[in-house]
Amino acid sequence: MIKLYGMTLSAHTRKVQTALLELGLPYELVVIDLNKGEQHNPEYVKLNPGGKTPTLVDGDLVVIESNAILMYLAETYGKGKLIAESGKERWQTIQWLVWLSSEGHGPLSRPWYLKVLYPLIGMTLDQTALARSHVEAQVPLKILDHVLSCQPYFGGSAYSVADIAIAESVFLTQWGGFDTSVYPNLTRWFLDVTSRETYKATRLPPH
C-alpha cells in the first residue's frame, strides 16, 4: 500500500491526499508532526533528506516534493485522469505546477504564515507585514484570474493536478485574511474545485 508521510495541517500534504482520493488509491497516512520536530528524525530524513513533508512511498520508490508527487500519481495511476496523456492540456498542467512552485506559492501562502502559523508558534502578529503580504498576493492572483477568463481549469478543459495544487495555495491566501472574491474567474473556479467531495474530505478536522 502507498504510504504518505505528512500532516493535515500542511497544505502540501492535503493536496496529495486529494489526488490519492481522486484516483481511488488506498493509502496509509503516517503522521509526521512538524510541531514536534518529527521531520528531523533520522529515520524520516533517510526518506526525505530535506526533512520536509510530504513524502510518498510506493513500493521501493520514494517521491518527495508535493508537486512532483502529484505528477507521479497522475502519470502512474491516472490513465488520462488528472493530467492529459499528451498535447496542449498536458503541458498546460505541467507549466502551472512549475509556475506554482517557482513563483506562485510563496506570495500566495505568505498571508497564512503571518496571520495563522507564526502566532500559532508564539510569534507576534505583524500587521504591517500582513498588509504587505496581501498586496503581494495580488500579483499571482491576477495572473490566475486572467488564465481562467478563457478556460475552466488550469490544464484546460478538465480538472487536473494543477487545480488541486493551486487551490491549496489560494486557500492559504484566504485563510490569511485576503478576500479573493474580487477576482470573478478565480472565484468561479474555486467554488467548483472546493465543491468536490475529495477536496472536502481532506480539510482540517473541526476544533
Side-chain angles (χ1 to χ4, degrees):
M1 179 183 290
I2 291 172
K3 288 187 177 182
L4 175 62
Y5 294 80
M7 64 184 299
T8 309
L9 179 62
S10 163
H12 298 304
T13 298
R14 292 196 301 269
K15 62 188 179 185
V16 174
Q17 289 180 288
T18 299
L20 288 163
L21 292 173
E22 284 282 345
L23 295 169
L25 297 172
Y27 71 96
E28 176 188 354
L29 177 63
V30 181
V31 175
I32 301 296
D33 193 330
L34 305 180
N35 298 320
K36 295 179 180 178
E38 292 178 354
Q39 69 273 28
H40 303 304
N41 289 347
E43 296 80 6
Y44 183 69
V45 173
K46 287 180 182 178
L47 295 175
N48 190 319
K52 296 182 179 180
T53 60
T55 298
L56 184 128
V57 178
D58 188 7
D60 61 358
L61 179 66
V62 179
V63 186
I64 64 172
E65 293 297 321
S66 59
N67 289 345
I69 295 171
L70 292 179
M71 280 292 300
Y72 168 74
L73 292 172
E75 290 275 294
T76 305
Y77 297 104
K79 298 179 180 178
K81 184 176 183 180
L82 296 187
I83 189 170
E85 293 183 314
S86 63
K88 178 181 178 181
E89 297 208 345
R90 171 181 173 78
W91 286 103
Q92 282 194 127
T93 299
I94 293 171
Q95 78 174 7
W96 288 112
L97 278 177
V98 173
W99 173 87
L100 185 67
S101 295
S102 63
E103 295 185 38
H105 182 72
L108 289 172
S109 63
R110 185 68 175 166
W112 175 79
Y113 277 97
L114 289 164
K115 184 176 182 179
V116 181
L117 182 62
Y118 290 170
L120 189 65
I121 61 176
M123 296 174 64
T124 302
L125 175 59
D126 185 335
Q127 293 289 355
T128 301
L130 180 61
R132 184 168 61 249
S133 76
H134 286 183
V135 173
E136 293 170 349
Q138 293 178 56
V139 175
L141 289 170
K142 287 176 182 176
I143 293 171
L144 297 174
D145 190 66
H146 175 73
V147 173
L148 294 169
S149 67
C150 56
Q151 61 192 57
Y153 300 104
F154 287 100
S157 63
Y159 177 76
S160 73
V161 285
D163 300 290
I164 292 174
I166 293 170
E168 288 295 349
S169 297
V170 172
F171 174 65
L172 292 182
T173 307
Q174 296 174 345
W175 198 355
F178 185 81
D179 182 5
T180 62
S181 67
V182 295
Y183 300 102
N185 303 306
L186 186 72
T187 298
R188 180 269 309 159
W189 163 86
F190 192 74
L191 288 173
D192 180 340
V193 169
T194 59
S195 68
R196 299 176 75 92
E197 291 304 315
T198 52
Y199 178 89
K200 295 177 184 177
T202 58
R203 297 308 88 196
L204 295 168
H207 296 287

